[in-house]
Amino acid sequence: MAEATVPEAFAADTQSQQLSSTQRTEALSAAAAGAYDGTDGSDTENAAAFLKERFEVELEFVQCLANPWYVNIIAQQGYFDKPEFINYLKYLMYWRRPEYARFVVYPHALAFLDLLQNKSFRDEIKKIDEATRLTVLQQNHWRWPNYREEGDATENEHTEAPLSR
């Protein structure tokens, strides 16, 4: 099975958080100061480049969560057993805020990010059957937005998927 690549970015990011959090703070402070003191702005450019790259990496990872098979693979690789990774998932919840959510192309990613906050879901998604079930539900939702799994419809709501061809 192929190794998932985005958690490697997480590992590098976690390492950079541990090793250079003061350096990042200093760079951002210097950037802000450089913007006001008339210096050449190279620190400002470095800080802006760092923030842009971090934004892109985190957005890419959050959007990967829309794929149940990707979530299944990183679960099987043991990432959900690492407290650091669970903290990273909690940190990523800021993507639910409207000013960030507008950049997310795949809204199911935010739903999976919510689900990943629960240990029971993290344990279940390790199973291939659960990834298959979620994939089918996701595809049915795309085909028929009002589709509900059997037994999931409320008393006042009766929705059916069209007959298969």
Side-chain angles (χ1 to χ4, degrees):
M1 189 174 294
E3 284 284 319
T5 57
V6 175
E8 291 172 11
F10 152 75
D13 184 56
T14 301
Q15 187 177 24
S16 74
Q17 287 176 358
Q18 293 171 353
L19 298 178
S20 64
S21 63
T22 54
Q23 291 173 344
R24 279 200 323 269
T25 303
E26 290 170 2
L28 293 174
S29 298
Y36 297 110
D37 70 5
T39 60
D40 69 353
S42 63
D43 286 339
T44 304
E45 291 171 14
N46 290 340
F50 170 78
L51 292 174
K52 181 178 185 274
E53 182 179 350
R54 182 175 187 108
F55 177 86
E56 291 171 350
V57 167
E58 289 176 0
L59 175 60
E60 179 181 352
F61 176 70
V62 167
Q63 293 192 122
C64 285
L65 296 178
N67 182 341
W69 290 109
Y70 177 76
V71 177
N72 172 263
I73 287 171
I74 62 176
Q76 288 181 358
Q77 290 177 357
Y79 283 94
F80 297 150
D81 299 328
K82 299 177 182 178
E84 305 87 25
F85 194 76
I86 303 307
N87 287 337
Y88 185 64
L89 291 173
K90 288 177 187 171
Y91 159 76
L92 291 173
M93 289 297 287
Y94 77 87
W95 283 98
R96 300 211 28 89
R97 297 195 330 237
E99 63 267 26
Y100 293 99
R102 68 189 179 111
F103 294 102
V104 177
V105 176
Y106 310 108
H108 283 162
L110 298 176
F112 279 105
L113 183 59
D114 274 345
L115 289 169
L116 286 169
Q117 303 304 313
N118 301 315
K119 182 169 178 19
S120 59
F121 178 77
R122 293 191 303 264
D123 291 340
E124 282 297 308
I125 195 63
K126 290 179 183 178
K127 302 173 186 170
I128 290 178
D129 290 343
E130 183 64 10
T132 302
R133 185 184 78 80
L134 290 172
T135 300
V136 169
L137 284 174
Q138 191 176 53
Q139 291 170 348
N140 287 341
H141 176 74
W142 293 333
R143 290 182 188 121
W144 311 292
N146 295 325
Y147 177 82
R148 299 274 190 265
E149 206 172 12
E150 257 186 62
D152 197 20
T154 62
E155 222 175 89
N156 299 330
E157 179 180 291
H158 181 70
T159 57
E160 291 182 19
L163 298 173
S164 58
R165 296 175 190 200

